[in-house]
Amino acid sequence: MIYQSEYISMVREEVAESTRTLQWKCVESRVERKRLYYGRFVLFPLLKGQADTIGIAMRRVLLGEIEGTCITGAKLEGVPHEYSTIAGIDESVQEILMNLKEIVLRSNLYGVRNAFICVKGPKCVTAQDIISPPSVKIVDTTQHIANLTEPLDLCIELQITRDRGYRKKSANPSQDGSYPIDAVSMPVRNTNYSIYSYGNEEQEILFLEIWTNGSLTPKEALYEASRNLIDLFIPFLHAEEENTNLEENQNKLTSLPLTFHNEFGKKNQKGLAFKSVFIDQLELPSRTYNCLKRSNIHTLLDLLSNSEEDLMKMEFFRIEDVKRISSILQKRFAMDLPKNPVSF
């Protein structure tokens, strides 16, 4: 393993020989296991402040904007509800659904596709037994699904969807043996960045780390995130100024009440500082990050306005998430999550 100091030394030598043209490199890449890929990248040379701008934007897009493919539903005929058990199968229906949720898929399909499992016991059913469309590849075929202990037939129809982010399964009860599965369409499991300053603190090198679930390599995820980020800004490049009524917009702006200064002048200075720290900068795991974003928690001030009890009431939030947040707050700001909401 190469240490940070060796990266910096290597990059600084290249910076000294290069022009001001931005360059990027993959300085480390490895497959830790089938469902965990790691990549480390550098971007240089940057002017002061640019690394933070790029790092925040890339982390947000990597965690929330990249599409992934997953199993979003399963149909088992003759099963009254998901908490049922089937004679001759060790797992309950709910456990089978949870195992299907863990399967990682790689594809470029759009819309919904179907796949099937048709096996006869006794047999240990794994992801290898899934009959999927040619455009869908199973990343880890060893993922366990169910253990059949009797000579029975097991047929499951699967629904495969490509999406982004996290979609909660429908709460509607099944009518025909179809059961929705929480959709976790997030190929990037985690990402963080660090900055090295040099040249009297006027130049910077951005280090970006990416962990994926194996459906994309970190390099592919970086390319996808960059393309998505560029696409978001393209409309601004093609804006037609002749269709914009500047005078009307100016009147709207000048008619707004000038309460900004007065309102914030009364705020505690610490509250202002906390409002300028976005949760993107806390380097949280992707699941925790997305849970907070869905609850409209965008800044450190938003976060500290919730107690530990408030966070635990959030959908899909776990005690492990609270502990992770507390650890980061303690390490970076020497503070803990409040027992009661903080008001600034």
Side-chain angles (χ1 to χ4, degrees):
M1 179 180 293
I2 306 175
Y3 294 99
Q4 176 89 347
S5 58
E6 296 179 26
Y7 286 130
I8 293 171
S9 177
M10 176 181 66
V11 173
R12 285 194 65 177
E13 289 178 4
E14 295 196 22
V15 170
E17 298 174 359
S18 70
T19 65
R20 276 292 308 153
T21 304
L22 286 179
Q23 301 180 49
W24 74 276
K25 275 182 171 292
C26 177
V27 292
E28 186 176 359
S29 178
R30 63 176 182 268
V31 179
E32 298 188 353
R33 50 183 184 271
K34 287 184 178 180
R35 283 180 274 179
L36 185 59
Y37 286 34
Y38 172 80
R40 187 177 179 93
F41 307 88
V42 293
L43 180 66
F44 61 92
L46 297 165
L47 298 178
K48 184 177 181 179
Q50 290 181 338
D52 212 22
T53 300
I54 297 172
I56 292 174
M58 288 302 297
R59 187 172 194 277
R60 182 184 288 257
V61 176
L62 282 164
L63 293 177
E65 297 292 333
I66 298 182
E67 292 184 341
T69 305
C70 61
I71 297 173
T72 55
K75 183 175 181 180
L76 297 87
E77 294 184 359
V79 178
H81 54 79
E82 66 178 288
Y83 300 103
S84 302
T85 57
I86 302 175
I89 301 180
D90 286 344
E91 292 80 7
S92 67
V93 173
Q94 185 186 36
E95 289 173 324
I96 293 175
L97 296 177
M98 292 298 292
N99 290 337
L100 290 171
K101 179 181 175 180
E102 295 297 318
I103 294 174
V104 177
L105 303 175
R106 176 186 175 100
S107 82
N108 292 317
L109 65 82
Y110 288 93
V112 179
R113 297 288 188 275
N114 291 326
F116 302 90
I117 299 175
C118 294
V119 295
K120 184 176 182 64
K123 177 180 176 62
C124 181
V125 184
T126 66
Q128 188 173 6
D129 297 302
I130 296 176
I131 304 170
S132 60
S135 59
V136 178
K137 176 185 176 183
I138 300 170
V139 172
D140 183 4
T141 57
T142 64
Q143 168 63 40
H144 179 76
I145 297 175
N147 186 36
L148 279 58
T149 59
E150 302 290 340
L152 56 87
D153 294 323
L154 176 66
C155 294
I156 306 176
E157 182 179 344
L158 304 175
Q159 183 183 76
I160 296 175
T161 309
R162 183 176 176 85
D163 203 346
R164 65 183 179 89
Y166 184 89
R167 306 290 182 189
K168 181 188 174 185
K169 65 181 180 181
S170 171
N172 296 328
S174 169
Q175 300 295 328
D176 59 351
S178 298
Y179 297 96
I181 299 174
D182 291 336
V184 186
S185 305
M186 295 184 289
V188 177
R189 298 182 61 171
N190 198 10
T191 178
N192 59 47
Y193 71 93
S194 57
I195 301 169
Y196 174 75
S197 299
Y198 66 99
N200 295 325
E201 305 278 322
E202 292 300 321
Q203 290 183 294
E204 297 176 335
I205 300 170
L206 174 66
F207 291 86
L208 184 65
E209 294 179 287
I210 302 173
W211 291 263
T212 70
N213 64 2
S215 62
L216 288 178
T217 66
K219 186 175 180 180
E220 289 172 330
L222 184 61
Y223 172 81
E224 186 83 9
S226 302
R227 188 178 63 182
N228 289 350
L229 195 57
I230 291 170
D231 289 344
L232 290 174
F233 288 99
I234 282 179
F236 294 108
L237 299 177
H238 300 287
E240 297 180 2
E241 292 187 3
E242 60 270 23
N243 293 332
T244 304
N245 191 328
L246 296 179
E247 184 177 349
E248 180 181 346
N249 289 341
Q250 184 176 5
N251 291 336
K252 288 181 179 179
L253 288 173
T254 55
S255 65
L256 292 175
L258 300 177
T259 57
F260 180 86
H261 176 75
N262 293 334
E263 177 186 354
F264 286 92
K266 301 175 183 178
K267 294 287 186 180
N268 187 292
Q269 291 301 314
K270 185 176 288 188
L272 286 173
F274 289 160
K275 190 168 184 177
S276 66
V277 178
F278 292 89
I279 63 170
D280 309 71
Q281 298 167 266
L282 300 183
E283 299 181 358
L284 296 166
S286 58
R287 204 191 67 81
T288 308
Y289 170 84
N290 280 284
C291 282
L292 293 175
K293 297 294 285 187
R294 283 196 303 273
S295 299
N296 291 320
I297 296 176
H298 305 289
T299 66
L300 184 56
L301 180 61
D302 297 334
L303 183 60
L304 295 177
S305 298
N306 292 270
S307 65
E308 292 184 12
E309 185 178 352
D310 292 332
L311 293 179
M312 287 302 298
K313 290 178 182 177
M314 288 166 46
E315 198 171 31
F316 307 115
F317 219 72
R318 305 174 302 188
I319 186 64
E320 291 82 2
D321 300 311
V322 174
K323 291 180 178 178
R324 175 66 173 167
I325 292 173
S326 296
S327 174
I328 291 174
L329 291 178
Q330 186 63 45
K331 180 179 178 181
R332 298 186 60 174
F333 304 100
M335 63 169 58
D336 294 310
L337 273 172
K339 301 297 181 183
N340 299 304
V342 176
S343 178
F344 294 100

